[in-house]
Amino acid sequence: MHILHVDFLTLYLISFVGALQLEVHGERRSRRSQHQRRTPGLSELSNNADISYYAVIEIGRNDYTLLIDTGGSDIWMAGNVPNSNDIEGGVNYVHDSVTGRIKTAEIEFAGYMIPDQAFLQVSPDDIKKAGAGILGLGPNDGSKIYQAIPTVAGAALLDRIFLQNLTTPNYLTVLLGRSGDLTDFYGGSLTVGQVISGFEDILKQPKLPVVNSIAADLHFQVLLDKNGFIGPDGKPIVIRTEVDSTQNEEQATVVLDTGFSLPQVPSSVAAEIYGRFLGAQLVDIDSVGKIWLLPCSQEVSITLKFNNKSYPIHPLDVTLDPTIIGMSAVVDSKGYPLCIGTFQPFTYDTGAKPSYDMVLGMAFLRNVYVLMDYGDFISGSNRKKDAPYVQFLSTTNATEAHDDFIKVRLNGTDNMTNHVPQLRGIHPVVYYIAISIAFVVVMAGATLFFIFRARKRSADRRKRAISARLPPELSVTT
């Protein structure tokens, strides 16, 4: 672990403020609004077409709207940033597809002012538009900038904020809600060092230890329970971890990352979720990668378990209208709309020895209030700290979620077939024929039992069995 050296003069020069709370606001729209309300002490998070969340941050006395990313620890900006300074001697940054120069500037974020926060300035291009960027809120030891500049000026933003007040709890909380349905705006809050009013029960939830992190690339990641990924049929999806350091190979290591709209899962898990349904197909789309398509009318319900607690996922988060992430509308051969499966097979190579098995992005995080305690991730603090951990508080009621799906996708009419797992090649009517025959068999058996008992028939007649034969399978054209 890198040690961040801080003296009292540095702490004195950083202004003191109280706990931080960011109001979250987003809309399903193709581009960001040019007009955003600013409230002292608060920073609005807006939501663009790919359901990523953004915050307004002041860099060098200019406002920029940056992507909130708990999976990264650095700030980077595309284009020239006025009133910024080069690091003495000049320091270049090269990581993944981002290359640029490390600079410092006065940064104000929701009332916090850091006089010399380090950030990366990159050249704009067709993908990284001028004025766009990422606001990394991850642990300091995951910062590539800090690895290049191991001083207070090179530390991650949250480190600098926590160091302003050594008595403030070192945690970040995220609540991403849903108002009405997907045609309305998303709302919620992000806080630092405090819990949102009305959600205090988060502090009573099990503390999930942060595990398997590599010091050079730190993330908030926790263990999913054994048999903790419950599929649409109510049965666990079999998972075998690829992480060598995990003691129980049936426990998957999952990363919590607001930078992913679509959770990334092994292809076998995605197939178990979506491949069972009529009309489901795996396709490869430019700029999106491999993704499952299935009828929008099909309700898909899954649940994840951590520390023996269940967290149901809203069916409107398990499948999604493709236009929301910038894709064209998709229909099947009969003209019925198709939705995308949000739990996407990995679109990138996790390496020969991965440190995680899944990335749980927005489609999961909208179903929990999450607290991420940084613990020993905070470098340079002179107070004793516990190990980092995560807490979840479920925000999705399965019954209410089903009703929401019926209203949004089925115009309020529950035809009962939309949430029955429909195996390929077997029409849903087969299930209902089987249920009807079973009901008749049970009723007939009960009737005969009382008749036989009343009339005291012979033993041979009392042993007579009632049987029924299912009709042959019906073929279905998908």
Side-chain angles (χ1 to χ4, degrees):
M1 170 186 274
H2 296 287
I3 301 299
L4 177 61
H5 299 286
V6 183
D7 57 31
F8 288 104
L9 176 60
T10 303
L11 293 176
Y12 176 79
L13 292 174
I14 302 175
S15 60
F16 171 82
V17 291
L20 165 67
Q21 178 167 343
L22 309 166
E23 292 306 308
V24 178
H25 178 80
E27 296 180 2
R28 186 183 71 169
R29 53 192 177 185
S30 59
R31 59 182 179 181
R32 293 191 291 273
S33 170
Q34 299 301 311
H35 305 284
Q36 293 186 326
R37 178 176 56 85
R38 293 295 304 277
T39 303
L42 299 176
S43 177
E44 177 183 89
L45 268 73
S46 62
N47 172 241
N48 78 349
D50 65 358
I51 322 182
S52 297
Y53 287 81
Y54 292 79
V56 174
I57 181 171
E58 185 177 297
I59 305 178
R61 296 188 289 279
N62 292 284
D63 284 351
Y64 299 94
T65 301
L66 306 185
L67 171 70
I68 292 291
D69 183 13
T70 58
S73 304
D74 294 321
I75 301 171
W76 65 261
M77 282 290 310
N80 183 58
V81 177
N83 304 312
S84 60
N85 304 301
D86 285 316
I87 295 290
E88 183 177 354
V91 178
N92 291 322
Y93 174 109
V94 179
H95 181 65
D96 294 334
S97 60
V98 179
T99 302
R101 290 184 67 80
I102 298 175
K103 307 187 76 173
T104 65
E106 178 183 287
I107 287 185
E108 184 175 345
F109 184 51
Y112 287 95
M113 193 279 288
I114 309 297
D116 57 350
Q117 176 66 46
F119 69 95
L120 179 70
Q121 182 173 291
V122 304
S123 299
D125 55 30
D126 291 341
I127 298 176
K128 299 181 286 292
K129 304 293 185 181
I134 290 179
L135 176 59
L137 295 177
N140 189 64
D141 277 357
S143 169
K144 301 298 186 292
I145 292 178
Y146 182 64
Q147 292 173 27
I149 308 174
T151 67
V152 65
L157 178 63
L158 279 187
D159 268 46
R160 303 294 297 272
I161 290 175
F162 287 138
L163 287 169
Q164 293 185 30
N165 183 3
L166 296 182
T167 63
T168 297
N170 290 349
Y171 61 67
L172 170 78
T173 81
V174 180
L175 175 68
L176 302 176
R178 185 181 299 99
S179 178
D181 57 47
L182 291 178
T183 63
D184 295 329
F185 67 87
Y186 295 93
S189 295
L190 182 152
T191 72
V192 175
Q194 68 178 11
V195 172
I196 299 171
S197 178
F199 290 86
E200 290 80 6
D201 280 351
I202 183 71
L203 299 175
K204 302 176 184 177
Q205 302 308 304
K207 294 180 179 180
L208 308 175
V210 174
V211 299
N212 298 326
S213 287
I214 299 174
D217 193 17
L218 221 50
H219 299 288
F220 275 102
Q221 51 194 54
V222 296
L223 289 176
L224 187 70
D225 285 358
K226 174 184 176 181
N227 296 324
F229 203 121
I230 309 303
D233 59 358
K235 298 178 180 179
I237 294 175
V238 176
I239 299 174
R240 292 289 184 269
T241 184
E242 296 293 326
V243 180
D244 291 340
S245 59
T246 303
Q247 294 182 352
N248 188 337
E249 66 174 11
E250 295 181 89
Q251 283 192 275
T253 298
V254 301
V255 173
L256 307 175
D257 193 340
T258 60
F260 280 83
S261 298
L262 305 179
Q264 303 289 289
V265 299
S267 57
S268 60
V269 173
E272 284 291 323
I273 298 173
Y274 304 110
R276 69 184 66 227
F277 294 103
L278 287 170
Q281 52 187 309
L282 182 64
V283 298
D284 197 340
I285 301 176
D286 289 343
S287 78
V288 177
K290 290 185 178 181
I291 201 163
W292 282 90
L293 296 177
L294 66 163
C296 290
S297 60
Q298 177 63 61
E299 183 175 355
V300 183
S301 297
I302 61 176
T303 298
L304 274 63
K305 291 185 175 182
F306 297 90
N307 205 323
N308 297 317
K309 294 184 72 72
S310 296
Y311 300 90
I313 309 302
H314 200 298
L316 292 176
D317 289 326
V318 185
T319 64
L320 195 66
D321 179 348
T323 61
I324 294 177
I325 62 168
M327 293 172 55
S328 300
V330 184
V331 297
D332 63 15
S333 59
K334 297 181 180 180
Y336 294 115
L338 296 176
C339 281
I340 62 171
T342 56
F343 285 74
Q344 183 182 24
F346 270 107
T347 56
Y348 60 92
D349 185 3
T350 58
K353 292 187 176 182
S355 61
Y356 57 88
D357 299 296
M358 302 180 191
V359 179
L360 296 183
M362 292 299 182
F364 170 77
L365 294 174
R366 280 196 293 271
N367 295 274
V368 294
Y369 179 36
V370 58
L371 182 152
M372 293 177 277
D373 189 287
Y374 286 65
D376 287 329
F377 284 164
I378 303 305
S379 304
S381 172
N382 60 4
R383 62 182 171 132
K384 184 178 180 180
K385 299 180 294 291
D386 294 325
Y389 61 85
V390 172
Q391 291 173 291
F392 294 135
L393 179 66
S394 180
T395 58
T396 296
N397 178 284
T399 301
E400 293 178 358
H402 167 69
D403 292 340
D404 290 343
F405 184 90
I406 298 302
K407 292 176 183 177
V408 174
R409 297 282 180 85
L410 299 177
N411 297 320
T413 302
D414 187 354
N415 59 19
M416 285 300 294
T417 64
N418 62 292
H419 51 92
V420 174
Q422 301 175 11
L423 298 177
R424 288 177 175 272
I426 302 179
H427 196 279
V429 72
V430 172
Y431 292 107
Y432 300 117
I433 292 175
I435 292 172
S436 299
I437 291 176
F439 177 79
V440 171
V441 170
V442 171
M443 293 302 296
T447 301
L448 290 175
F449 173 79
F450 288 107
I451 292 175
F452 292 162
R453 188 175 64 174
R455 298 182 179 181
K456 296 182 180 179
R457 296 288 180 90
S458 65
D460 289 340
R461 296 189 62 186
R462 285 198 304 270
K463 295 180 181 177
R464 182 175 299 167
I466 300 174
S467 61
R469 185 187 302 271
L470 285 174
E473 286 188 357
L474 303 176
S475 61
V476 176
T477 301
T478 60

